[in-house]
Amino acid sequence: MDRVDVGKLTFAAVGEAMSLVGDAVRRYIDQAGGDGLWVSAIDPDLADTAAFCEHYDIGLDVSANCVVVEAKRADRVWYAACMVLATTRADVNGVVRKHLDARKISFASMDTAVSLTGMEYGGITPVGLPTNWPILVDQNVVEQERVIIGSGVRGSKLLATSEVLAALPAAEVLAITKPG
């Protein structure tokens, strides 16, 4: 399957359009391969989820967000990523904090997230994150056949199979969202 249409976008197999993804994503694909990943160029001004979904006629239920959290316990500080559908919110102060065994947890600042991931804000994706970061993938994400996620840059989006996300280094699938 070389091309996949979703909403008003046509996604090409990522290997055919590597110039559309960020450097960290490209390095990951060079090592792990691009099976189960497709990419489409978008207007970078529409990278934020709500504007993207509305403009390109994409359901929020097939769009997933990746948020970077900063965890602390005693003198130790570490980072993790949470993948949730755009229709849900991660329970950062409850489930995520407890799962990471953190005493305190917060969303990482934009500057910190961009610096540590090597990705553009609004394009941060679990594909290509530092391999020592836990990636907590909400079970609602993997229940979708495919989801649209960031590509490391604001000018494109990845379409990923749930199998690819669940198989990322340090990925764990669990219920991390607040009940509706």
Side-chain angles (χ1 to χ4, degrees):
M1 183 166 16
D2 287 346
R3 303 218 176 269
V4 179
D5 293 323
V6 181
K8 296 177 183 174
L9 294 176
T10 298
F11 289 82
V14 75
E16 297 173 11
M18 291 285 277
S19 63
L20 292 177
V21 300
D23 291 342
V25 174
R26 194 174 306 117
R27 284 190 297 274
Y28 174 83
I29 293 168
D30 284 345
Q31 291 178 340
D35 290 347
L37 293 170
W38 298 264
V39 65
S40 179
I42 65 163
D43 180 338
D45 291 334
L46 298 170
D48 295 331
T49 305
F52 165 79
C53 289
E54 182 179 339
H55 183 81
Y56 291 105
D57 198 23
I58 306 282
L60 288 169
D61 60 333
V62 294
S63 185
N65 291 323
C66 180
V67 295
V68 175
V69 294
E70 180 180 271
K72 296 178 182 176
R73 176 172 279 289
D75 292 337
R76 183 172 170 241
V77 176
W78 69 100
Y79 295 87
C82 300
M83 282 296 305
V84 296
L85 291 178
T87 55
T88 62
R89 299 186 80 151
D91 184 0
V92 172
N93 286 310
V95 175
V96 174
R97 182 183 59 77
K98 289 174 187 159
H99 185 77
L100 294 175
D101 195 29
R103 177 140 170 74
K104 186 177 176 188
I105 194 162
S106 59
F107 293 103
S109 73
M110 179 175 68
D111 290 344
T112 298
V114 167
S115 171
L116 294 177
T117 63
M119 299 179 196
E120 294 177 5
Y121 196 75
I124 294 176
T125 183
V127 178
L129 286 177
T131 56
N132 62 336
W133 283 24
I135 300 172
L136 308 182
V137 181
D138 187 62
Q139 67 186 18
N140 294 321
V141 172
V142 297
E143 288 171 0
Q144 302 297 318
E145 183 180 347
R146 295 183 289 242
V147 293
I148 295 173
I149 59 176
S151 66
V153 294
R154 291 181 63 87
S156 66
K157 292 283 187 181
L158 288 174
L159 178 66
T161 63
S162 56
E163 292 85 9
V164 166
L165 297 177
L168 289 169
E172 297 178 70
V173 177
L174 64 158
I176 61 169
T177 57
K178 292 183 178 185

